[in-house]
Amino acid sequence: MSDPFFQPVSGFDLPRFAGIPTFMRLPHVPPGHARFGEVQIGLVGVPWDSGTTNRPGPRHGPRQLRDASTMIRAEHPVSGTRPFEAMNCADLGDVAPNPADIPDTMARITAFVERMSDAGIRPLIAGGDHLASLPVLRALATDGPLGMVHFDSHTDLFHSYFGGAMYTHGTPFRRAVEEGLLDPRRMVQIGIRGTVYDREDRDFARAEGIRIITIEEFFSRPLPDVMAEAREIVGERPAYLSYDIDFVDPAFAPGTGTPEVGGPNSFQALQVLRELAGMNIAGADLVEVSPPFDPTGATAFLGASLMFEMLCLMTEGR
Ligand code: MN
Ligand code: MN
């Protein structure tokens, strides 16, 4: 049976609005903790938004997501999955960022995730802006490039910003392909929309064989059909799952820095993940929740709910 140490605090033992918030009320097991090596899935905050090109704030995301995640209960409503009984899950705390130094912070994130990998722990990351995915991929793609299912309004495949800035939240997956961390032919980007500066990102995607499913295509096909194609593209081998909250329509997720109208609702936001059952997930992230633009807390609650969906996928997949 499951280890009681790794169970969330029950809302019947301590009401969910009480106590110190950790992700989903799990035990706090930072690196160095006596039971760190027993963790199988580590929930980690990356409170960092130095890659943001417009409205900042995701550095405050992990704390807000922890608070919102106290609403999460133990069992998935549809599949019946009970992730905390299937695997040892824990809140590993935050990667300590250096808000004044992008390369230093990226090195810290990579080192943190490497330490997890060495202990056999798969990461579920709470951002932070989307640049955080790049140093995570540097730690995970040690046995060759990974596939990726990527939900976003934006491709994040641009070459550079502001006349040569190579590391922003608009460039992480361009760098990841260049660095051989992602296999472009096993990449799918879903929900792409909004005005753009130019088509340079899409030209790169086409040249490399990255599959882009625009929001127009997404809504013109049955959702299970789109997601079956996504599973087919990433295949059986390990793949990364990256979820930018701005995939969701800003009516449901206003708390983000670069919203784009005309997106999926909160039910569809959950459904796309449920259709990924069986995916071989090497690691996952939920990024771009920006509490300063989230006055009702709805975005953080959706984000925490999406993290629970991802956690269920990660415990079911193996
Ligand atoms: Mn993004
Ligand atoms: Mn985005």
Side-chain angles (χ1 to χ4, degrees):
M1 204 40 212
S2 52
D3 185 331
F5 175 79
F6 288 104
Q7 295 311 296
V9 176
S10 166
F12 297 133
D13 293 333
L14 180 69
R16 289 187 285 157
F17 50 83
I20 297 167
T22 57
F23 285 120
M24 301 177 199
R25 313 193 87 199
L26 288 163
H28 180 211
V29 186
H33 188 284
R35 304 194 69 174
F36 185 73
E38 297 172 52
V39 179
Q40 292 168 287
I41 298 180
L43 289 79
V44 179
V46 179
W48 182 55
D49 56 16
S50 299
T52 304
T53 55
N54 192 353
R55 307 191 302 172
R59 69 178 59 185
H60 304 293
R63 187 168 285 181
Q64 192 74 10
L65 285 163
R66 280 193 178 88
D67 192 11
S69 77
T70 61
M71 299 285 279
I72 301 294
R73 304 180 190 86
E75 182 173 307
H76 192 282
V78 181
S79 66
T81 297
R82 298 178 69 90
F84 310 117
E85 294 176 11
M87 288 191 185
N88 289 343
C89 306
D91 185 335
L92 307 191
D94 286 345
V95 180
N98 176 348
D101 190 326
I102 288 176
D104 180 31
T105 303
M106 289 205 291
R108 291 167 185 232
I109 296 167
T110 301
F112 195 106
V113 180
E114 281 173 347
R115 188 162 180 186
M116 293 172 66
S117 296
D118 290 347
I121 306 171
R122 277 185 298 156
L124 174 52
I125 305 286
D129 74 49
H130 223 153
L131 181 56
S133 301
L134 177 61
V136 173
L137 287 167
R138 285 175 176 167
L140 293 180
T142 49
D143 297 327
L146 297 167
M148 180 170 73
V149 177
H150 172 203
F151 300 101
D152 206 319
S153 289
H154 316 98
T155 64
D156 299 346
L157 285 175
F158 285 96
H159 177 267
S160 57
Y161 277 66
F162 310 124
M166 306 300 279
Y167 298 101
T168 79
H169 68 164
T171 65
F173 302 123
R174 180 70 159 260
R175 297 291 92 77
V177 170
E178 291 169 352
E179 294 179 22
L181 310 174
L182 290 173
D183 176 355
R185 301 198 171 271
R186 293 181 57 224
M187 282 173 69
V188 56
Q189 304 187 300
I190 304 169
I192 307 305
R193 62 185 185 271
T195 56
V196 290
Y197 292 110
D198 57 42
R199 295 254 157 186
E200 192 264 333
D201 60 330
R202 302 210 193 183
D203 293 342
F204 176 80
R206 194 174 304 109
E208 295 286 339
I210 298 168
R211 174 75 166 109
I212 291 177
I213 299 176
T214 63
I215 202 67
E216 288 75 22
E217 181 178 351
F218 178 82
F219 280 126
S220 74
R221 296 169 60 187
L223 187 148
D225 179 50
V226 171
M227 297 316 300
E229 184 190 344
R231 284 201 313 274
E232 182 76 26
I233 289 169
V234 295
E236 305 285 315
R237 283 175 293 144
Y240 194 67
L241 174 58
S242 194
Y243 203 122
D244 185 326
I245 197 77
D246 73 30
F247 168 72
V248 187
D249 192 276
F252 299 90
T256 194
T258 321
E260 306 291 351
V261 298
N265 64 30
S266 56
F267 179 65
Q268 292 160 327
L270 301 170
Q271 218 180 352
V272 290
L273 290 174
R274 292 171 185 175
E275 292 290 336
L276 285 177
M279 178 178 163
N280 185 349
I281 300 175
D285 62 43
L286 183 280
V287 297
E288 300 284 356
V289 171
S290 181
F293 295 102
D294 189 29
T296 68
T299 313
F301 182 52
L302 176 59
S305 302
L306 295 171
M307 287 180 69
F308 182 76
E309 295 284 340
M310 290 193 261
L311 191 62
C312 289
L313 287 175
M314 292 172 80
T315 58
E316 290 162 357
R318 294 185 181 187

